[in-house]
């Protein structure tokens, strides 16, 4: 005679090692995400243009724009250890090294200007990368910076970003020096194209 199998409810199972409560170590520090701080920082960094960009992105991929702002600007940017200026230097370097992300690099050039970085500092970040990422990527980054400088000649640091900036910077170049530098970069690019570089 066959006996009925024991009910599943009465069987004892070993704890599931993949259960969510088993995956999070008890001593793991939570990652704080501050949505409001993220939107405030984005507004300070990118200004009003960010709103239309977010709306367009949300229309295409609902929720993605909010996730970016909350996780990036409300999370990563809120961590201690780096000043906002230092984060922008890292962004300029990473996007230049990555290549193929010209719109994002242009956004971060504008953001860097808004937090008080000079055109010379932004240019030097990109030039400094040439031996590490290659001359073509550095030149591509300089082209983006030059075009962005031409579009945003009067970018002024915001009051909040000036308070966040903790690193002393050398005296800013005059607008005429910045314009001359941009022309020099463009002329250098023209010469390289002519030489087949």
């Amino acid at each position: 005679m066959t006996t009925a199998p024991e009910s599943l409810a009465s069987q004892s199972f070993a704890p599931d090692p993949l259960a969510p409560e088993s995956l999070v170590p008890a001593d793991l520090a939570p990652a704080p995400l501050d949505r409001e701080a993220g939107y405030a920082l984005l507004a300070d960094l990118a200004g009003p243009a960010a709103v239309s960009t977010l709306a367009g992105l949300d229309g295409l991929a609902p929720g993605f724009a909010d996730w970016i702002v909350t996780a990036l600007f409300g999370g990563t940017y809120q961590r201690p250890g780096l000043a906002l200026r230092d984060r922008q230097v890292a962004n300029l370097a990473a996007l230049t090294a990555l290549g193929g992300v010209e719109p994002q690099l242009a956004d971060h050039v504008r953001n860097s200007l808004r937090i008080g970085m000079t055109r010379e500092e932004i240019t030097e970040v990109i030039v400094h990368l040439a031996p590490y990422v290659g001359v073509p990527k550095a030149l591509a980054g300089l082209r983006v910076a030059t075009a962005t400088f031409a579009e945003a000649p009067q970018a002024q640091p915001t009051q909040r970003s000036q308070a966040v900036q903790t690193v002393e910077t050398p005296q800013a170049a005059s607008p005429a020096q910045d314009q001359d530098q941009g022309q020099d970069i463009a002329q250098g690019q023209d010469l390289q194209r002519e030489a087949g570089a």
Side-chain angles (χ1 to χ4, degrees):
M1 172 176 210
T2 307
T3 60
E6 216 178 310
S7 78
L8 290 177
S10 67
Q11 291 182 11
S12 96
F13 294 98
D16 181 0
L18 298 179
E21 62 275 2
S22 299
L23 295 175
V24 180
D27 60 347
L28 189 65
L33 296 177
D34 187 336
R35 187 173 187 239
E36 287 182 25
Y39 278 94
L41 179 58
L42 179 63
D44 192 43
L45 275 173
V51 175
S52 62
T53 302
L54 291 176
L57 180 57
D58 197 59
L60 177 65
F64 187 50
D66 185 62
W67 176 81
I68 291 170
V69 174
T70 302
L72 181 60
F73 297 101
T76 305
Y77 272 82
Q78 302 300 321
R79 293 177 53 83
L82 287 178
L84 186 57
R85 179 188 185 284
D86 299 331
R87 292 183 191 281
Q88 280 308 118
V89 169
N91 293 340
L92 292 169
L95 293 169
T96 299
L98 186 60
V101 290
E102 288 78 10
Q104 291 80 9
L105 179 56
D107 285 344
H108 282 282
V109 168
R110 279 188 288 277
N111 295 350
S112 297
L113 291 168
R114 286 179 61 87
I115 66 163
M117 288 182 69
T118 66
R119 293 172 180 210
E120 180 182 21
E121 290 171 322
I122 294 165
T123 300
E124 283 306 311
V125 167
I126 298 170
V127 168
H128 180 77
L129 295 172
Y132 301 98
V133 303
V135 172
K137 283 189 178 180
L139 286 174
L142 288 171
R143 278 192 291 277
V144 170
T146 301
T148 306
F149 294 158
E151 294 168 6
Q154 300 301 323
Q156 297 295 319
T158 63
Q159 191 174 38
R160 179 174 179 233
S161 62
Q162 287 174 335
V164 179
Q165 189 174 4
T166 60
V167 177
E168 290 287 323
T169 56
Q171 185 167 349
S174 72
Q177 289 171 321
D178 282 342
Q179 185 176 8
D180 290 344
Q181 183 181 17
Q183 289 172 349
D184 291 344
I185 291 169
Q187 289 171 352
Q189 292 168 349
D190 289 341
L191 291 173
Q192 286 184 334
R193 278 194 289 275
E194 290 171 13

